[in-house]
Amino acid sequence: MHLTLALPALNRNTDAAQPATVLPSLNKMMRFGSYAATPARPSEFYGRFLWHGSLLEHAKPALGIGPEQAAVFASPVWQQMGMHHMDMLGGGDIQIQAHEAETFCLGLSRFLQTDGWHFHPLRSDLWLVALPAQPDWQAAPVLDVLGRIDGSVRAEGTSSRVWLQKQTEIQMWLHAHPLNAKRAAARVPTVNGVWLWRDIAGSRAGNPLLGSSSPWAQFYLGSRTGAPDDFDAWMETTRRHNRPVSDGLLFLDDLAVTRHTDDAWAYKEILESWEQRWFAPLWQALQQGRLNSLTIATDGPQGGSLTLNPKAARAFWKKKKTFAGNLGG
């Protein structure tokens, strides 16, 4: 009878002013819960909850690629260089379609065939590149570089120049692609680059029933459903799976795009929707004893987890707290 609510990008991690949010139930949870700081990069956070072991080794058989084949990931992106920074949005953020991913991968395989590079679309927003040999470079996973980053971020290692060269060649090829002309005409971000990276090691321990619509949950080893609309829908899901009401994991990454785009108003809208659909009914379920415990977890440099039990509200002497972009207060 335990429920974990994993919410990447819940913490804003910015000093910029943001709209005030009305979150009375989340405020109560912060007041009466026990918070443990566990900073985590997004890739670490996703891997902690959604898969176990090498993401690359999960992806290869899904594409019919043998385990011995050298390969890396290629994430299609929109990127824009500033004087001292780079803004980058992922394929999911700019809504790359399946047919576009297939066309891009086929074209890139032809473009780089003399180098022995072959592109395969694992998803619209995540491709795999089969290589003639294992590369000698390391680059941060795409989950850790979306949004605004230092413009000097790049691969490290003895072959880092090869990484930069290929990224540049692919950018030039994409710039002239007819699909990007269509996207520009439709006033949607173009696919003007890829981010090449190696792998993410997942550390998922145990496999409770998962409710998530995140594409990164595709290799979850336990039972999985799409993200329910609200707590009532989650209770119905657990009944259908013959599970206790509170036994499971909810991984909701709706806020991730607001971190990448720095959209404070969309962030506020999602949180206030969650107040009605999740925070308020979860707080009520705790007070009624229908939940033995609730853990809310998030990532980032100030990431951590907030844990509550049904008796938490008895600590009436605790000071009131107001969520202002940081779950730890």
Side-chain angles (χ1 to χ4, degrees):
M1 299 284 287
H2 304 280
L3 179 63
T4 297
L5 186 60
L7 305 175
L10 177 60
N11 286 349
R12 284 279 289 162
N13 301 318
T14 177
D15 295 328
Q18 62 183 35
T21 51
V22 182
L23 306 168
S25 297
L26 181 59
N27 292 340
K28 291 176 184 176
M29 292 177 181
M30 289 176 58
R31 177 186 180 186
F32 296 113
S34 176
Y35 186 79
T38 50
R41 295 188 298 273
S43 62
E44 294 173 324
F45 190 79
Y46 277 71
R48 180 190 308 164
F49 288 102
L50 297 181
W51 67 87
H52 183 78
S54 164
L55 183 63
L56 186 62
E57 295 310 313
H58 284 298
K60 287 180 182 179
L63 292 167
I65 297 173
E68 72 288 346
Q69 174 66 55
V72 297
F73 286 114
S75 294
V77 297
W78 170 88
Q79 54 191 4
Q80 180 173 279
M81 290 297 299
M83 185 171 294
H84 302 295
H85 67 268
M86 178 168 66
D87 293 314
M88 186 153 60
L89 300 179
D93 300 331
I94 63 174
Q95 300 181 350
I96 297 176
Q97 302 301 305
H99 75 276
E100 293 178 313
E102 292 172 1
T103 300
F104 282 132
C105 284
L106 180 61
L108 283 168
S109 294
R110 291 171 178 168
F111 176 61
L112 294 174
Q113 63 181 342
T114 57
D115 297 318
W117 285 41
H118 300 281
F119 288 71
H120 305 267
L122 178 66
R123 302 191 309 253
S124 298
D125 66 321
L126 183 62
W127 310 339
L128 190 146
V129 189
L131 305 175
Q134 199 68 28
D136 189 13
W137 51 257
Q138 294 287 345
V142 69
L143 284 166
D144 297 339
V145 297
L146 296 178
R148 175 160 292 186
I149 58 172
D150 183 337
S152 66
V153 172
R154 60 185 59 188
E156 298 179 352
T158 56
S159 299
S160 59
R161 289 185 178 181
V162 174
W163 177 89
L164 182 59
Q165 176 188 345
K166 292 304 178 188
Q167 298 249 133
T168 303
E169 289 178 9
I170 292 170
Q171 286 173 8
M172 294 175 65
W173 182 86
L174 287 169
H175 177 74
H177 200 283
L179 281 180
N180 275 325
K182 290 182 179 180
R183 291 182 69 91
R187 298 190 176 184
V188 296
T190 58
V191 183
N192 63 5
V194 298
W195 185 261
L196 300 168
W197 54 283
R198 297 279 295 270
D199 202 359
I200 303 173
S203 56
R204 174 73 248 174
N207 296 297
L209 176 64
L210 170 67
S212 180
S213 296
S214 173
W216 295 94
Q218 69 185 109
F219 297 120
Y220 187 76
L221 295 178
S223 298
R224 175 167 63 97
T225 70
D229 289 336
D230 53 29
F231 185 58
D232 286 341
W234 174 248
M235 289 193 293
E236 178 58 31
T237 297
T238 57
R239 280 193 289 268
R240 288 201 310 269
H241 284 77
N242 196 29
R243 301 289 185 94
V245 169
S246 57
D247 181 19
L249 167 64
L250 291 163
F251 191 98
L252 310 178
D253 60 356
D254 309 50
L255 290 172
V257 66
T258 72
R259 173 163 57 193
H260 307 157
T261 59
D262 195 25
D263 189 336
W265 289 99
Y267 174 84
K268 167 186 169 67
E269 182 179 350
I270 292 170
L271 275 183
E272 292 184 340
S273 171
W274 281 355
E275 170 68 24
Q276 303 302 317
R277 297 187 292 123
W278 291 109
F279 302 142
L282 284 169
W283 176 253
Q284 183 179 43
L286 276 169
Q287 300 311 295
Q288 295 171 346
R290 290 187 291 141
L291 286 177
N292 279 352
S293 73
L294 170 67
T295 297
I296 301 176
T298 193
D299 58 352
Q302 296 178 310
S305 58
L306 182 71
T307 302
L308 298 105
N309 60 60
K311 298 180 180 180
R314 297 181 184 179
F316 60 87
W317 59 86
K318 290 189 173 182
K319 293 182 179 180
K320 292 182 178 181
K321 293 185 177 181
T322 301
F323 182 80
N326 186 347
L327 186 62

